[in-house]
Amino acid sequence: MNEKSLIPSIRFAGFTDAWERRKLGEIADKVTEKNSSRIYSETFTNSAENGIISQRDYFDHAVSNSANLDGYYIVSEDDFVYNPRISTTAPVGPINRNRLKSRGVMSPLYTVFRTRDIDALYLEHYFKSHHWHQYMFLNGDSGARSDRFSIKDFVFMEMPIAVPCKVEQMRIGSFLEELDRLITLHQRKLEKLLNIKKSMLDKMFPKNDELFPEVRFAGFTDAWERRKLGEIADKVTEKNSSRIYSETFTNSAENGIISQRDYFDHAVSNSANLDGYYIVSEDDFVYNPRISTTAPVGPINRNRLKSRGVMSPLYTVFRTRDIDALYLEHYFKSHHWHQYMFLNGDSGARSDRFSIKDFVFMEMPIAVPCKVEQMRIGSFLEELDHLITLHQRKLEKLQNIKKACLEKMFV
């Protein structure tokens, strides 16, 4: 074995020795102890996304047959478990460590092993990398089931593991553990902000035919009014007849109004048809009738691109007047206008499109407070979106760092 190949791309200062390769069977023993006396009744499962957890937490109920538990392996704290079920995130199946601080049992379909003479935290993160996958692909058998990876136990225990000295193992394990802690922290902060946003979109606008929202800023007490969309906006009917504009926009439920090239990596509109497309100016609103899980009646978004472009006539484009654009933009991110659409929309010929006549669409009632309150609501929800984006970027950055470290800190 070339010694250079046993040195990782990234390592902590002070460590220079080449790593060694040890077989899994030299640093761990396969657990064969069965639950023959049925001492343990808590069944664990090993998920690629969530690690080792109680079956009840994963499935909301126990799926194991209590009559068969005497044939299940006993899993102790810090034992490792290999699950042969493959997935996109675990192409050869996941290996996770039991962090539950309790004993339980595991189906004999899993491989359970207990380590010795190796830092458990180091090995746990090693198995989160892809460095052991090649051995599995080269030595695994094709299972009868396409969703399961098949490898014989003795072959599995022959797996070579790249191992540095004990001190370096501990440094690597502790560093990656801290990185995981930071990722979890940002995930929780992001989830909290997303829940706050969801709650505010529900409570800061009046429900149904009510004229007072559940939550509002201090100092505002007047009833809101209902105004038809056609009273605060005009449908854009200007076509690109002279073909002045060639940049085609699309309206995505997830990403808002963006260039078609950015969304599809290429233009999908036919340049010969662009003279029949609507001209979309900065701050124009666009309704896309394509429905999805996140947009059950189709999304309405505002053009924030600071440029003009064109939009297929399949979309409805409208330009506002006498209303704060930021307020209206966030209003359309709520669900409060959906009921009107469901009550007044027609069943389209295509199941993925919502159908509503233009004049009916422009009759949609919009809950409107005074201009100052509109601006306060719009600014608040915009700042919330800014915080969410900030945490998403931080989380993505940490996840990319983790991915790079798993690639470069192991051999």
Side-chain angles (χ1 to χ4, degrees):
M1 178 68 71
N2 185 349
E3 187 175 282
K4 190 175 181 180
S5 68
L6 287 176
I7 295 174
S9 301
I10 294 176
R11 70 196 306 191
F12 293 101
F15 298 101
T16 56
D17 292 343
W19 291 20
E20 61 176 323
R21 290 204 186 267
R22 302 182 66 185
K23 294 177 182 178
L24 180 59
E26 295 173 351
I27 56 172
D29 300 300
K30 186 178 184 299
V31 171
T32 57
E33 184 184 6
K34 297 283 183 75
N35 188 35
S36 53
S37 302
R38 297 193 189 177
I39 299 173
Y40 304 101
S41 59
E42 185 71 7
T43 309
F44 296 157
T45 194
N46 181 12
S47 154
E49 293 75 25
N50 305 306
I52 296 172
I53 57 175
S54 170
Q55 224 179 56
R56 290 189 180 276
D57 296 334
Y58 191 65
F59 297 103
D60 289 330
H61 63 282
V63 295
S64 57
N65 186 337
S66 59
N68 298 331
L69 291 187
D70 55 351
Y72 278 37
Y73 292 126
I74 294 173
V75 181
S76 300
E77 184 181 351
D78 289 328
D79 280 354
F80 284 75
V81 178
Y82 168 58
N83 178 1
R85 182 177 290 276
I86 62 177
S87 64
T88 307
T89 53
V92 295
I95 297 177
N96 285 302
R97 180 165 65 105
N98 176 20
R99 290 184 169 229
L100 296 179
K101 300 189 184 301
S102 63
R103 280 187 158 195
V105 294
M106 213 87 168
S107 162
L109 291 171
Y110 297 84
T111 300
V112 184
F113 56 95
R114 191 167 298 152
T115 59
R116 50 184 163 79
D117 192 28
I118 194 165
D119 183 69
L121 201 53
Y122 166 82
L123 191 63
E124 181 178 12
H125 287 287
Y126 177 83
F127 284 127
K128 291 184 188 295
S129 78
H130 65 83
H131 292 283
W132 56 287
H133 290 183
Q134 185 181 23
Y135 176 83
M136 298 289 282
F137 284 126
L138 290 174
N139 295 278
D141 302 319
S142 176
R145 288 178 54 172
S146 60
D147 63 340
R148 288 192 184 278
F149 194 89
S150 179
I151 189 168
K152 293 180 175 66
D153 282 351
F154 79 89
V155 179
F156 181 81
M157 296 305 289
E158 289 283 306
M159 183 195 304
I161 308 291
V163 181
C165 71
K166 200 66 175 279
V167 178
E168 191 172 4
Q169 289 175 40
M170 293 170 71
R171 286 288 301 276
I172 292 168
S174 297
F175 171 76
L176 292 173
E177 187 73 357
E178 177 60 20
L179 203 48
D180 272 354
R181 189 190 71 80
L182 284 173
I183 288 170
T184 301
L185 188 68
H186 280 283
Q187 282 172 329
R188 286 174 181 164
K189 284 182 178 179
L190 180 58
E191 286 168 9
K192 186 177 180 180
L193 284 169
L194 289 169
N195 286 333
I196 290 171
K197 174 75 184 294
K198 184 180 178 182
S199 178
M200 291 299 100
L201 287 174
D202 181 51
K203 295 178 179 180
M204 292 187 80
F205 302 105
K207 292 179 171 63
N208 302 323
D209 295 325
E210 296 176 13
L211 294 177
F212 294 91
E214 192 175 336
V215 172
R216 70 196 305 190
F217 292 103
F220 297 101
T221 57
D222 291 344
W224 291 27
E225 60 177 323
R226 297 257 171 200
R227 302 183 67 186
K228 295 177 181 179
L229 181 58
E231 294 173 351
I232 57 171
D234 299 301
K235 186 178 185 300
V236 171
T237 57
E238 184 185 6
K239 297 284 183 75
N240 187 35
S241 53
S242 302
R243 296 193 189 177
I244 299 172
Y245 304 102
S246 59
E247 185 71 8
T248 309
F249 297 158
T250 194
N251 182 11
S252 153
E254 293 75 24
N255 304 305
I257 296 173
I258 56 175
S259 170
Q260 222 179 58
R261 290 189 180 277
D262 296 335
Y263 191 65
F264 297 103
D265 289 331
H266 63 281
V268 296
S269 57
N270 186 338
S271 58
N273 298 331
L274 291 187
D275 55 351
Y277 278 37
Y278 292 126
I279 295 174
V280 181
S281 300
E282 184 180 351
D283 289 328
D284 280 354
F285 284 75
V286 179
Y287 168 58
N288 178 1
R290 183 178 290 276
I291 62 176
S292 64
T293 308
T294 54
V297 295
I300 297 177
N301 286 302
R302 179 165 66 106
N303 176 20
R304 291 185 170 226
L305 295 179
K306 299 189 184 302
S307 63
R308 279 186 158 195
V310 295
M311 213 87 169
S312 163
L314 292 172
Y315 297 85
T316 300
V317 184
F318 56 96
R319 191 166 297 151
T320 59
R321 50 183 164 79
D322 193 28
I323 194 164
D324 183 70
L326 201 53
Y327 165 82
L328 190 63
E329 180 178 11
H330 287 287
Y331 178 83
F332 283 128
K333 291 184 188 296
S334 80
H335 63 84
H336 293 284
W337 56 286
H338 292 182
Q339 185 181 24
Y340 175 83
M341 298 289 283
F342 284 126
L343 290 174
N344 295 278
D346 302 319
S347 176
R350 288 179 54 172
S351 60
D352 62 342
R353 288 192 184 277
F354 194 88
S355 179
I356 189 168
K357 293 180 175 66
D358 282 351
F359 79 89
V360 179
F361 181 81
M362 297 305 289
E363 289 282 307
M364 183 195 305
I366 308 291
V368 181
C370 71
K371 200 65 174 280
V372 178
E373 191 171 4
Q374 289 175 39
M375 293 170 71
R376 286 288 301 276
I377 292 168
S379 296
F380 170 75
L381 293 173
E382 186 73 357
E383 179 59 24
L384 204 48
D385 272 353
H386 172 72
L387 286 173
I388 288 169
T389 300
L390 194 66
H391 279 283
Q392 282 172 330
R393 286 175 180 164
K394 283 183 179 179
L395 180 58
E396 286 168 7
K397 186 176 180 180
L398 285 168
Q399 288 169 333
N400 287 334
I401 290 171
K402 174 75 185 293
K403 184 179 178 182
C405 288
L406 288 175
E407 165 70 27
K408 297 179 178 180
M409 292 186 77
F410 297 106
V411 176

